[in-house]
């Protein structure tokens, strides 16, 4: 069936099977491969995108559920003036090693900072519990999110 | 892991959903936020022939407080519950338990009605609704009926909903007495190994993951009503339960946990 989704500000239309996951729609139909697939079991958060401004695991959502929605992926985060403040903070704090979790981590962090005000380090750790990083030990990720939330 | 091929119907109202269920029979499955159903479909543990997508039935979304009753539309997300100032004032237990579900991304999509209808004994919200003595409103072809939460959970992932019924909403009493939710798990974002929800200082006690359904700890409630202290009342928390055995815990450990967590919850709730 046909779905029409506003992705990174642009209306994108495609004919998808109802079983198509949003992450496959983004990667395979639209070629937006910045959103990674990690665990495939809703656990790791590598595929996190924003749906109507809030974080969602795009492996746990069907493309048909996003019909009419506004989706932002990592490719749509930077503006004309350069990187998004969260991307900037990840860069400054070196909040990544292999980088595989980073797109999802950044999207989850953008949503988190928007949703919860005045977070401390514990709050950030708890808020990012749905995003796994196997390299960093999270230390610099937490630092970056706190820096970006100031 | 990609779900098996499935048909799709969008139902933007309860009436449309009931009609679609009537048309497609019990091979159809209602889709709300999909945070439980889609993982099951990807693992092919669930293979519905048709999905009836209620995700945009916006009149089923919202929280209202009228006198002594809080009414919540079935499609209200965990995140909406967590952030509702009205709910925090009228029923802080439910708002808090919603904030303990999964992780923020799951809470943005997952819904109260979906969690209850999924009837997972390991889920947080069913135990809270049980502790609160809630009522579920089901709508079918013949109209709506009310189901007490204590009668709603009939088996593992099974509820009292008929195949052509939709869970439209949930009502819980305004509850501002002592409350607590004790969720024990070892990994971030995981289900509770055991959880205990206490409402009104121990008048209502709901248990997570202590049997094939979400359970009410009737023996604890009776002990509290009879004037027992937290420690004595909690001693009967495992009574009547049949806790599962899995990688996290065997039944004996869960029985131990439920007594410890119940005592903590009762103390926190001022029992």
């Amino acid at each position: 069936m046909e779905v029409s989704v506003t992705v990174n500000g642009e209306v994108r239309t495609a004919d998808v099977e109802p079983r198509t996951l949003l992450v496959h729609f983004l990667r395979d139909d639209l070629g937006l491969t910045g959103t990674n697939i990690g665990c495939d079991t809703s656990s790791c958060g590598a595929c996190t995108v924003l749906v109507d401004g809030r974080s969602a695991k795009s492996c746990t959502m069907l493309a048909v559920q996003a019909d009419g929605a506004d989706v932002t992926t990592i490719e749509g985060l930077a503006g004309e003036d350069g990187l998004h403040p969260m991307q900037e903070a990840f860069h400054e704090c070196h909040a990544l090693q292999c980088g595989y979790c980073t797109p999802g981590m950044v999207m989850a962090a953008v949503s988190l900072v928007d949703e919860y005000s005045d977070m401390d380090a514990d709050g950030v750790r708890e808020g990012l519990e749905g995003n796994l990083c196997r390299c960093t030990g999270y230390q610099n990720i937490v630092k970056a999110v706190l820096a970006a939330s100031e | 892991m990609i779900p098996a091929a499935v048909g799709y119907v969008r139902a933007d109202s309860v009436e449309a959903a009931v009609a679609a269920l009537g048309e497609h029979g019990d091979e159809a499955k209602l889709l709300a936020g999909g945070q439980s159903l889609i993982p099951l479909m990807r693992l092919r543990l669930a293979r519905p022939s048709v999905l009836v997508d209620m995700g945009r039935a916006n009149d089923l979304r919202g929280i209202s407080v009228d006198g002594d009753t809080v009414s919540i539309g079935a499609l209200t997300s965990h995140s909406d519950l967590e952030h509702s100032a009205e709910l925090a004032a009228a029923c802080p237990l439910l708002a808090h338990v919603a904030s303990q579900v999964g992780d923020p991304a799951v809470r943005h999509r997952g819904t109260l009605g979906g969690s209850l209808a999924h009837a997972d004994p390991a889920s947080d919200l069913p135990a809270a609704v049980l502790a609160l003595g809630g009522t579920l409103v089901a709508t079918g072809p013949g109209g709506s009926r009310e189901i007490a939460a204590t009668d709603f959970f009939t088996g593992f992932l099974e509820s009292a909903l008929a195949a052509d019924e939709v869970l439209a909403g949930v009502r819980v009493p305004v509850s501002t007495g002592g409350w607590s939710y004790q969720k024990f798990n070892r990994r971030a974002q995981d289900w509770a190994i055991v959880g205990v929800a206490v409402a009104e200082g121990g008048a209502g006690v709901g248990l997570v993951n202590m049997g094939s359904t979400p359970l009410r700890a009737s023996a604890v409630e009776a002990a509290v009503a009879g004037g027992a202290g937290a420690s004595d009342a909690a001693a009967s928390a495992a009574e009547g339960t049949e806790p599962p055995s899995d990688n996290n815990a065997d039944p004996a450990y869960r029985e131990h946990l439920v007594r410890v967590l119940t005592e903590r919850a009762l103390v926190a709730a001022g029992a």
Side-chain angles (χ1 to χ4, degrees):
Chain A
M1 63 178 288
E2 189 172 279
V3 294
S4 182
V5 187
T6 303
V7 180
N8 300 332
E10 196 183 323
V11 178
R12 306 294 295 264
T13 302
D15 190 28
V16 300
E17 281 190 78
R19 63 172 167 168
T20 305
L21 299 170
L22 178 59
V23 69
H24 292 135
F25 169 73
L26 294 170
R27 291 178 56 89
D28 302 342
D29 289 288
L30 305 187
L32 294 169
T33 53
T35 302
N36 285 335
I37 298 174
C39 67
D40 241 350
T41 57
S42 321
S43 305
C44 79
C47 65
T48 304
V49 298
L50 304 185
V51 177
D52 294 328
R54 289 279 184 246
S55 60
K57 294 182 178 183
S58 61
C59 77
T60 310
M61 189 170 169
L62 301 171
V64 288
Q65 289 178 286
D67 185 32
D70 203 334
V71 172
T72 307
T73 70
I74 192 72
E75 290 94 338
L77 208 52
E80 281 173 11
D81 323 327
L83 294 178
H84 183 280
M86 190 62 74
Q87 292 172 306
E88 198 71 62
F90 269 63
H91 175 73
E92 286 298 321
C93 298
H94 190 59
L96 61 130
Q97 285 177 30
C98 89
Y100 197 83
C101 73
T102 310
M105 197 68 82
V106 168
M107 300 314 282
V110 167
S111 177
L112 186 70
V113 166
D114 185 48
E115 184 174 356
Y116 298 91
S117 49
D118 299 327
M119 264 183 311
D120 57 12
D122 286 346
V124 172
R125 285 179 185 277
E126 201 173 313
L128 292 177
E129 67 177 317
N131 292 74
L132 304 183
C133 171
R134 301 288 75 163
C135 306
T136 63
Y138 303 98
Q139 207 65 19
N140 285 352
I141 293 174
V142 175
K143 228 184 267 178
V145 177
L146 287 173
S149 68
E150 273 166 10
Chain B
M1 286 181 286
I2 297 170
V6 63
Y8 179 83
V9 181
R10 185 168 147 178
D12 290 352
S13 68
V14 177
E15 294 72 28
V18 170
L21 290 179
E23 188 183 334
H24 296 285
D26 56 9
E27 293 297 300
K29 190 86 184 153
L30 286 174
L31 174 66
Q35 300 303 288
S36 298
L37 180 57
I38 293 172
L40 288 178
M41 287 176 64
R42 280 194 329 218
L43 294 167
R44 307 215 174 180
L45 295 171
R47 293 184 73 147
S49 59
V50 176
L51 285 175
V52 178
D53 181 3
M54 295 190 68
R56 297 172 186 82
N58 287 325
D59 49 346
L60 293 186
R61 183 162 288 149
I63 301 161
S64 63
V65 181
D66 184 17
D68 296 334
T69 306
V70 184
S71 301
I72 304 169
L75 285 176
T76 308
S77 72
H78 309 323
S79 177
D80 290 342
L81 297 175
E82 174 186 359
H83 291 299
S84 163
E86 211 174 8
L87 189 65
C91 191
L93 171 65
L94 197 57
H96 173 74
V97 172
S99 77
Q100 301 301 299
V101 176
D103 57 56
V106 168
R107 296 198 290 271
H108 294 148
R109 307 279 323 156
T111 67
L112 175 61
S115 175
L116 294 170
H118 186 52
D120 187 340
S123 289
D124 304 290
L125 286 160
V129 173
L130 275 175
L132 289 161
T135 303
L136 288 75
V137 181
T139 302
S144 292
R145 66 181 177 119
E146 295 184 354
I147 308 170
T150 39
D151 299 328
F152 186 75
F153 304 104
T154 56
F156 183 67
L157 305 186
E158 285 179 9
S159 76
L161 288 173
D164 58 357
E165 276 185 321
V166 172
L167 178 58
V170 180
R171 286 204 298 271
V172 293
V174 167
S175 177
T176 53
W179 61 273
S180 176
Y181 183 55
Q182 301 288 325
K183 179 175 185 174
F184 185 86
N185 60 13
R186 301 199 303 183
R187 293 190 315 185
Q189 76 175 336
D190 213 345
W191 283 273
I193 295 174
V194 173
V196 178
V198 163
E200 293 297 324
V205 181
L207 305 181
V208 180
N209 224 350
M210 284 300 292
S212 57
T213 66
L215 291 173
R216 202 162 169 165
S218 311
V220 178
E221 293 172 0
V224 171
S231 172
D232 289 339
S236 55
E239 230 171 75
T241 65
E242 288 182 41
S245 184
D246 56 29
N247 291 345
N248 286 315
D250 63 14
Y253 181 46
R254 281 198 162 86
E255 288 173 6
H256 169 72
L257 275 178
V258 81
R259 286 189 286 265
V260 171
L261 297 173
T262 299
E263 182 173 349
R264 285 182 194 164
L266 289 173
V267 168

